[in-house]
């Protein structure tokens, strides 16, 4: 497989950094080709605006989806967006590695999605969900939380993790046509014992050995 891992944590020595390093190492050792986007180290600009494009169809009024469609037709994406689009289009498996921030992704990763998941190139009229351009490819969220696991069950004080992840798993990944693998979630690594953290990393490494054979999960609809 060609795997793209998009990593969003400001500290490479964090537990998220260890998850990212583990995935690169294990997937390469298993014979896969791994591309990465380490967004903080790249200094990726998450702001989606006219700088996404080299030329504009309408310089007087910025309508992003219209410009994305135009850039898709004319090869008019800015180089940093075009480079990410090519990595995305080449992958068989997309992994997003991030800490949960405010029940969602860090802004740098949300911005990567805002800029790279462009209309025309990654979706369009008639090309969403089951007819999406990424059908046949798979995607997985790998994330950490601050809160403990019991807080993220139905009725827990933060609520159902599946519902919290649905905007990304359904609204982004399935919308684009990806089949979604079960998320890799590590709850509260900050309070975990070092031995527990090492076990989690080892279990993740083991999962990655056979991830190419995993079946997708139902992420639920609204
Ligand atoms: C802006 C913001 C918003 C937030 N919103 C939420 C929210 O909505 N919900 C929520 O639940 N939480 C929230 N949090 C908390 C956040 O999700 C957690 O702090 C984060 O997920 C912890 O992951 P980390 O990688 O940063 O952990 P770290 O603190 O980096 O790591 C935890 C431990 O792992 C150790 N470690 C690192 N590498 C290894 C290794 N190779 N082997 C063994 N141990 C290792 C580290 O030494 C450390 O002791 C928020 C945090 C911020 C900053």
């Amino acid at each position: 497989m060609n795997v793209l891992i998009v990593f969003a944590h400001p500290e490479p020595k964090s537990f998220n950094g260890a998850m990212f390093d583990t995935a690169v190492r294990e997937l390469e050792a298993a014979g896969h080709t791994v591309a990465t986007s380490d967004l903080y180290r790249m200094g990726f600009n998450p702001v989606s605006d006219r700088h996404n494009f080299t030329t504009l169809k309408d310089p007087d009024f910025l309508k992003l989806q219209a410009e994305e469609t135009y850039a898709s037709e004319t090869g008019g994406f800015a180089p940093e967006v075009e480079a990410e689009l090519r990595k995305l289009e080449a992958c068989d498996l997309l992994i997003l590695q991030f800490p949960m921030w405010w029940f969602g992704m860090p802004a740098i990763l949300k911005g990567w999605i805002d800029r790279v998941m462009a209309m025309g190139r990654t979706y369009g009229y008639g090309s969403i969900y089951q007819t999406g351009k990424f059908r046949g490819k798979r995607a997985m969220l790998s994330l950490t939380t601050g809160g403990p696991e019991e807080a993220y069950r139905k009725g827990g004080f933060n609520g159902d993790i599946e519902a919290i992840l649905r905007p990304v798993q359904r609204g982004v990944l399935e919308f684009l046509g990806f089949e979604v693998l079960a998320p890799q979630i590590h709850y509260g690594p900050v309070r975990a014992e070092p031995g527990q953290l090492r076990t989690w990393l080892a279990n993740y490494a083991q999962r990655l050995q056979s991830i190419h054979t995993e079946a997708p999960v139902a992420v639920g609809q609204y």
Side-chain angles (χ1 to χ4, degrees):
M1 287 191 300
N2 288 323
V3 185
L4 171 60
I5 310 175
V6 184
F7 173 45
H9 197 293
E11 173 52 65
K13 295 192 289 295
S14 62
F15 187 70
N16 272 266
M19 291 288 288
F20 172 67
D21 293 342
T22 298
V24 173
R25 188 182 64 239
E26 294 299 323
L27 290 164
E28 285 183 343
H32 305 296
T33 301
V34 180
T36 59
S37 293
D38 182 348
L39 299 179
Y40 281 95
R41 258 56 64 192
M42 292 160 64
F44 186 81
N45 174 9
V47 177
S48 189
D49 62 12
R50 62 185 63 232
H51 297 103
N52 294 353
F53 314 105
T54 52
T55 55
L56 290 171
K57 189 177 185 184
D58 183 354
D60 295 327
F61 186 96
L62 181 66
K63 189 161 170 45
L64 277 171
Q65 287 175 309
E67 294 298 343
E68 288 169 2
T69 303
Y70 181 65
S72 299
E73 292 162 358
T74 59
F77 287 103
E80 71 269 24
V81 175
E82 179 64 34
E84 297 306 301
L85 274 164
R86 290 187 185 186
K87 286 192 248 181
L88 182 66
E89 288 166 341
C91 80
D92 305 300
L93 171 65
L94 171 68
I95 299 176
L96 304 181
Q97 178 66 53
F98 61 96
M100 180 189 283
W101 282 3
W102 296 117
F103 275 31
M105 295 173 282
I108 200 168
L109 179 54
K110 176 58 166 50
W112 183 86
I113 290 172
D114 289 346
R115 296 186 74 201
V116 178
M117 309 311 207
M119 190 173 197
R121 213 43 195 270
T122 72
Y123 71 95
Y125 296 112
S127 302
I128 55 172
Y129 295 114
Q130 286 86 352
T131 56
K133 291 177 187 277
F134 293 84
R135 63 190 179 280
K137 297 170 181 275
R138 294 177 310 154
M140 179 182 80
L141 304 184
S142 177
L143 64 141
T144 59
T145 69
E149 185 167 6
E150 59 270 22
Y152 285 101
R153 295 192 190 122
K154 277 184 187 154
F157 67 79
N158 281 335
D160 181 10
I161 190 72
E162 287 186 24
I164 292 169
L165 298 181
R166 198 164 296 139
V168 190
Q169 295 196 136
R170 179 69 181 160
V172 179
L173 299 175
E174 284 195 347
F175 180 83
L176 296 174
F178 284 102
E179 294 183 311
V180 176
L181 302 182
Q184 181 79 22
I185 309 173
H186 293 294
Y187 297 95
V190 175
R191 283 179 303 280
E193 297 295 328
Q196 177 66 74
L197 292 165
R198 285 194 294 274
T199 301
W200 284 347
L201 291 168
N203 291 346
Y204 185 44
Q206 194 167 19
R207 178 184 180 188
L208 293 169
Q209 293 297 318
S210 57
I211 198 160
H212 55 288
T213 65
E214 275 189 30
V217 294
V219 304
Q221 300 185 6
Y222 286 104

Coordinates of all heavy atoms in Angstrom, one line a residue, residues 79-129:
P79 N 1.6 25.7 -5.0 CA 2.5 24.5 -4.9 C 2.3 23.7 -3.6 O 2.3 22.5 -3.6 CB 3.9 25.1 -5.0 CG 3.7 26.4 -5.7 CD 2.4 26.9 -5.4
E80 N 2.1 24.4 -2.4 CA 2.0 23.6 -1.2 C 0.7 22.8 -1.1 O 0.6 21.8 -0.5 CB 2.2 24.5 0.1 CG 1.0 25.5 0.4 CD 1.2 26.8 -0.3 OE1 2.0 26.9 -1.3 OE2 0.7 27.8 0.2
V81 N -0.4 23.3 -1.8 CA -1.6 22.6 -1.9 C -1.5 21.5 -2.9 O -2.0 20.3 -2.6 CB -2.8 23.5 -2.2 CG1 -4.1 22.8 -2.4 CG2 -3.0 24.6 -1.1
E82 N -0.9 21.8 -4.0 CA -0.8 20.7 -5.1 C 0.1 19.6 -4.5 O -0.3 18.4 -4.8 CB -0.1 21.4 -6.3 CG 0.2 20.4 -7.4 CD -1.1 19.9 -8.1 OE1 -2.1 20.6 -8.1 OE2 -1.1 18.7 -8.5
A83 N 1.1 19.8 -3.8 CA 1.9 18.8 -3.2 C 1.1 17.9 -2.3 O 1.3 16.6 -2.4 CB 3.1 19.4 -2.5
E84 N 0.3 18.4 -1.5 CA -0.5 17.6 -0.6 C -1.6 16.9 -1.3 O -1.9 15.7 -1.0 CB -1.2 18.5 0.5 CG -0.2 19.2 1.4 CD 0.8 18.2 2.1 OE1 0.3 17.3 2.8 OE2 2.0 18.4 1.9
L85 N -2.2 17.5 -2.4 CA -3.2 16.8 -3.2 C -2.6 15.5 -3.8 O -3.2 14.5 -3.9 CB -3.7 17.7 -4.3 CG -4.8 18.7 -3.9 CD1 -5.0 19.8 -4.9 CD2 -6.1 17.9 -3.8
R86 N -1.4 15.7 -4.3 CA -0.7 14.5 -5.0 C -0.5 13.4 -4.0 O -0.7 12.2 -4.3 CB 0.6 14.9 -5.6 CG 0.3 15.8 -6.9 CD 1.5 16.1 -7.7 NE 1.1 17.0 -8.7 CZ 1.9 17.5 -9.7 NH1 3.1 17.0 -9.8 NH2 1.4 18.3 -10.6
K87 N 0.0 13.8 -2.8 CA 0.2 12.7 -1.7 C -1.2 12.0 -1.4 O -1.2 10.8 -1.3 CB 0.8 13.3 -0.5 CG 2.2 13.7 -0.6 CD 2.8 14.0 0.8 CE 3.1 15.5 1.0 NZ 3.7 15.8 2.3
L88 N -2.2 12.8 -1.3 CA -3.5 12.3 -1.0 C -4.0 11.4 -2.1 O -4.5 10.3 -1.8 CB -4.5 13.5 -0.7 CG -5.9 13.1 -0.3 CD1 -5.9 12.5 1.1 CD2 -6.8 14.4 -0.3
E89 N -3.9 11.8 -3.3 CA -4.4 11.0 -4.4 C -3.6 9.7 -4.6 O -4.2 8.7 -5.1 CB -4.4 11.9 -5.7 CG -5.4 13.0 -5.7 CD -5.2 14.0 -6.8 OE1 -4.1 14.2 -7.3 OE2 -6.2 14.7 -7.0
A90 N -2.4 9.7 -4.2 CA -1.5 8.5 -4.3 C -1.8 7.5 -3.2 O -1.4 6.3 -3.4 CB -0.1 8.9 -4.3
C91 N -2.4 7.9 -2.2 CA -2.5 6.9 -1.0 C -3.6 5.9 -1.1 O -4.7 6.2 -1.7 CB -2.6 7.7 0.3 SG -4.2 8.3 0.8
D92 N -3.3 4.7 -0.6 CA -4.4 3.7 -0.5 C -5.0 3.8 0.9 O -6.1 3.3 1.2 CB -3.8 2.3 -0.7 CG -3.1 2.2 -2.0 OD1 -3.7 2.4 -3.0 OD2 -1.9 1.9 -2.0
L93 N -4.2 4.2 1.9 CA -4.6 4.4 3.3 C -4.1 5.7 3.8 O -3.0 6.1 3.6 CB -4.0 3.3 4.1 CG -4.2 3.4 5.6 CD1 -5.6 3.3 6.0 CD2 -3.3 2.3 6.4
L94 N -5.1 6.5 4.3 CA -4.8 7.8 4.9 C -4.9 7.6 6.4 O -6.0 7.1 6.9 CB -5.8 8.8 4.4 CG -5.8 10.2 5.1 CD1 -4.5 11.0 4.8 CD2 -7.0 11.0 4.6
I95 N -3.9 8.1 7.2 CA -4.0 8.1 8.7 C -3.8 9.5 9.1 O -2.9 10.2 8.7 CB -2.9 7.2 9.3 CG1 -3.0 5.8 8.8 CG2 -2.9 7.3 10.8 CD1 -1.9 4.8 9.3
L96 N -4.8 10.0 9.9 CA -4.7 11.3 10.6 C -4.3 11.1 12.0 O -5.1 10.5 12.8 CB -6.0 12.1 10.5 CG -6.6 12.3 9.0 CD1 -7.9 13.1 9.1 CD2 -5.6 13.0 8.1
Q97 N -3.1 11.6 12.4 CA -2.6 11.4 13.8 C -2.7 12.7 14.5 O -2.0 13.7 14.2 CB -1.2 10.9 13.8 CG -0.6 10.7 15.1 CD -1.2 9.6 16.0 OE1 -1.4 8.5 15.5 NE2 -1.7 10.0 17.2
F98 N -3.5 12.8 15.6 CA -3.7 14.1 16.3 C -4.2 13.9 17.7 O -4.8 12.9 18.0 CB -4.7 15.0 15.5 CG -6.0 14.4 15.4 CD1 -7.1 14.8 16.2 CD2 -6.3 13.5 14.4 CE1 -8.3 14.2 16.1 CE2 -7.6 12.9 14.3 CZ -8.6 13.3 15.1
P99 N -3.9 14.9 18.6 CA -4.6 15.0 19.9 C -6.0 15.7 19.7 O -6.1 16.6 18.9 CB -3.7 15.9 20.7 CG -3.1 16.8 19.7 CD -3.0 16.1 18.4
M100 N -7.0 15.2 20.5 CA -8.3 15.8 20.4 C -8.2 17.2 21.1 O -7.7 17.3 22.2 CB -9.3 15.0 21.1 CG -10.7 15.7 21.1 SD -11.9 14.8 22.1 CE -12.3 13.4 21.1
W101 N -8.5 18.2 20.4 CA -8.6 19.6 20.9 C -10.0 20.1 20.7 O -10.5 20.1 19.6 CB -7.6 20.5 20.1 CG -6.1 20.3 20.5 CD1 -5.6 19.4 21.4 CD2 -5.0 21.1 20.1 NE1 -4.2 19.5 21.5 CE2 -3.8 20.5 20.7 CE3 -4.9 22.1 19.2 CZ2 -2.6 21.1 20.5 CZ3 -3.6 22.6 18.9 CH2 -2.5 22.1 19.6
W102 N -10.6 20.4 21.8 CA -12.0 21.0 21.8 C -12.9 20.1 21.0 O -13.6 20.6 20.1 CB -12.0 22.4 21.3 CG -11.2 23.4 22.2 CD1 -10.1 24.1 21.9 CD2 -11.5 23.7 23.6 NE1 -9.6 24.8 23.0 CE2 -10.5 24.6 24.0 CE3 -12.5 23.3 24.5 CZ2 -10.5 25.0 25.3 CZ3 -12.5 23.8 25.8 CH2 -11.5 24.7 26.2
F103 N -12.9 18.8 21.3 CA -13.7 17.8 20.7 C -13.5 17.7 19.2 O -14.4 17.3 18.4 CB -15.2 18.2 20.9 CG -15.8 17.6 22.2 CD1 -15.0 17.5 23.3 CD2 -17.1 17.3 22.3 CE1 -15.5 17.0 24.5 CE2 -17.7 16.8 23.5 CZ -16.9 16.6 24.6
G104 N -12.4 18.2 18.7 CA -12.1 18.1 17.3 C -10.6 18.0 17.0 O -9.8 17.5 17.9
M105 N -10.2 18.4 15.8 CA -8.8 18.4 15.5 C -8.1 19.7 15.8 O -8.8 20.7 15.8 CB -8.7 18.1 13.9 CG -9.3 16.8 13.5 SD -9.3 16.8 11.7 CE -10.7 17.7 11.3
P106 N -6.8 19.7 16.0 CA -6.1 20.9 16.0 C -6.3 21.7 14.7 O -6.5 21.1 13.6 CB -4.6 20.5 16.1 CG -4.7 19.1 16.7 CD -5.9 18.5 16.2
A107 N -6.3 23.0 14.8 CA -6.7 23.9 13.7 C -5.8 23.7 12.5 O -6.2 23.8 11.3 CB -6.6 25.4 14.1
I108 N -4.5 23.3 12.7 CA -3.6 23.1 11.6 C -4.0 21.9 10.8 O -3.9 21.9 9.5 CB -2.1 22.9 12.1 CG1 -1.1 23.2 11.0 CG2 -1.9 21.5 12.8 CD1 0.3 23.3 11.5
L109 N -4.7 20.9 11.4 CA -5.1 19.8 10.6 C -6.5 20.1 10.0 O -6.7 19.7 8.8 CB -5.3 18.5 11.5 CG -5.8 17.2 10.9 CD1 -5.0 16.8 9.7 CD2 -5.8 16.1 12.0
K110 N -7.3 20.8 10.7 CA -8.6 21.2 10.1 C -8.3 22.1 8.8 O -9.0 22.0 7.8 CB -9.4 22.0 11.1 CG -10.7 22.6 10.6 CD -11.7 21.5 10.0 CE -13.1 22.0 9.7 NZ -13.2 23.3 9.0
G111 N -7.3 22.9 9.0 CA -6.9 23.8 7.9 C -6.3 23.0 6.7 O -6.6 23.4 5.5
W112 N -5.6 21.9 7.0 CA -5.1 21.1 5.9 C -6.3 20.5 5.1 O -6.3 20.5 3.9 CB -4.2 19.9 6.5 CG -3.6 19.0 5.5 CD1 -2.4 19.2 4.9 CD2 -4.1 17.7 5.1 NE1 -2.2 18.1 4.1 CE2 -3.2 17.2 4.2 CE3 -5.3 17.0 5.4 CZ2 -3.4 16.0 3.5 CZ3 -5.5 15.8 4.8 CH2 -4.5 15.3 3.9
I113 N -7.3 20.1 5.9 CA -8.5 19.5 5.2 C -9.2 20.7 4.4 O -9.6 20.5 3.3 CB -9.5 18.9 6.3 CG1 -8.8 17.6 6.8 CG2 -10.9 18.6 5.7 CD1 -9.6 17.0 7.9
D114 N -9.4 21.8 5.0 CA -10.0 22.9 4.4 C -9.3 23.2 3.0 O -10.0 23.5 2.0 CB -10.0 24.2 5.2 CG -10.9 24.2 6.4 OD1 -11.7 23.3 6.5 OD2 -10.7 25.0 7.3
R115 N -8.0 23.2 3.0 CA -7.3 23.7 1.8 C -7.1 22.5 0.8 O -7.1 22.8 -0.4 CB -5.9 24.2 2.2 CG -6.0 25.4 3.1 CD -4.6 26.0 3.3 NE -4.1 26.7 2.1 CZ -2.8 26.9 1.9 NH1 -1.9 26.5 2.8 NH2 -2.4 27.5 0.8
V116 N -6.9 21.3 1.3 CA -6.5 20.2 0.4 C -7.7 19.5 -0.2 O -7.7 19.0 -1.3 CB -5.5 19.3 1.1 CG1 -5.1 18.1 0.2 CG2 -4.3 20.0 1.6
M117 N -8.7 19.3 0.6 CA -9.9 18.6 0.2 C -10.7 19.5 -0.7 O -11.8 20.1 -0.3 CB -10.7 18.1 1.4 CG -10.0 17.3 2.4 SD -8.9 16.0 1.8 CE -8.9 14.8 3.2
A118 N -10.2 19.8 -1.9 CA -10.7 20.9 -2.7 C -11.8 20.3 -3.7 O -11.7 19.2 -4.2 CB -9.6 21.5 -3.5
M119 N -12.8 21.2 -3.9 CA -13.9 20.8 -4.8 C -13.3 20.7 -6.3 O -12.4 21.4 -6.7 CB -15.0 21.9 -4.9 CG -16.2 21.5 -5.6 SD -17.5 22.7 -5.4 CE -18.9 21.7 -6.0
G120 N -13.8 19.7 -7.0 CA -13.3 19.4 -8.3 C -12.3 18.3 -8.2 O -12.5 17.2 -8.7
R121 N -11.2 18.5 -7.5 CA -10.1 17.6 -7.4 C -10.5 16.4 -6.5 O -10.1 15.3 -6.8 CB -8.9 18.3 -6.9 CG -7.5 18.0 -7.3 CD -7.1 17.7 -8.6 NE -5.8 17.1 -8.4 CZ -4.6 17.7 -8.3 NH1 -4.6 19.0 -8.6 NH2 -3.5 17.1 -8.1
T122 N -11.1 16.7 -5.3 CA -11.4 15.6 -4.4 C -12.9 15.3 -4.2 O -13.2 14.2 -3.6 CB -10.8 16.0 -3.0 OG1 -11.6 17.0 -2.4 CG2 -9.3 16.4 -3.1
Y123 N -13.7 16.1 -4.7 CA -15.2 15.8 -4.7 C -15.9 16.7 -5.6 O -15.3 17.7 -6.1 CB -15.8 15.9 -3.3 CG -15.9 17.4 -2.8 CD1 -17.1 18.1 -3.0 CD2 -14.8 18.0 -2.2 CE1 -17.2 19.4 -2.6 CE2 -14.9 19.3 -1.8 CZ -16.1 20.0 -2.0 OH -16.1 21.3 -1.6
G124 N -17.1 16.4 -6.0 CA -17.9 17.3 -6.8 C -19.3 16.8 -7.0 O -19.6 15.8 -6.4
Y125 N -20.1 17.5 -7.8 CA -21.4 17.0 -8.0 C -21.4 15.6 -8.6 O -20.7 15.3 -9.6 CB -22.1 17.9 -9.0 CG -22.3 19.3 -8.4 CD1 -21.6 20.4 -8.9 CD2 -23.1 19.6 -7.3 CE1 -21.7 21.7 -8.4 CE2 -23.2 20.8 -6.7 CZ -22.5 21.9 -7.3 OH -22.6 23.1 -6.8
G126 N -22.1 14.7 -7.9 CA -22.1 13.3 -8.4 C -20.9 12.5 -7.9 O -20.8 11.3 -8.2
S127 N -20.0 13.1 -7.2 CA -18.8 12.4 -6.7 C -18.7 12.6 -5.2 O -17.8 13.3 -4.7 CB -17.5 12.9 -7.3 OG -17.6 12.7 -8.7
I128 N -19.6 12.0 -4.4 CA -19.6 12.1 -3.0 C -20.1 10.7 -2.4 O -20.8 10.0 -3.1 CB -20.5 13.2 -2.4 CG1 -21.9 13.1 -2.9 CG2 -19.9 14.6 -2.7 CD1 -22.9 14.1 -2.2
Y129 N -19.7 10.5 -1.2 CA -20.1 9.2 -0.5 C -19.8 8.0 -1.4 O -18.7 7.8 -1.8 CB -21.5 9.3 0.0 CG -21.7 10.3 1.1 CD1 -22.6 11.4 0.8 CD2 -21.1 10.2 2.3 CE1 -22.8 12.4 1.8 CE2 -21.3 11.2 3.3 CZ -22.1 12.3 3.0 OH -22.3 13.3 4.0

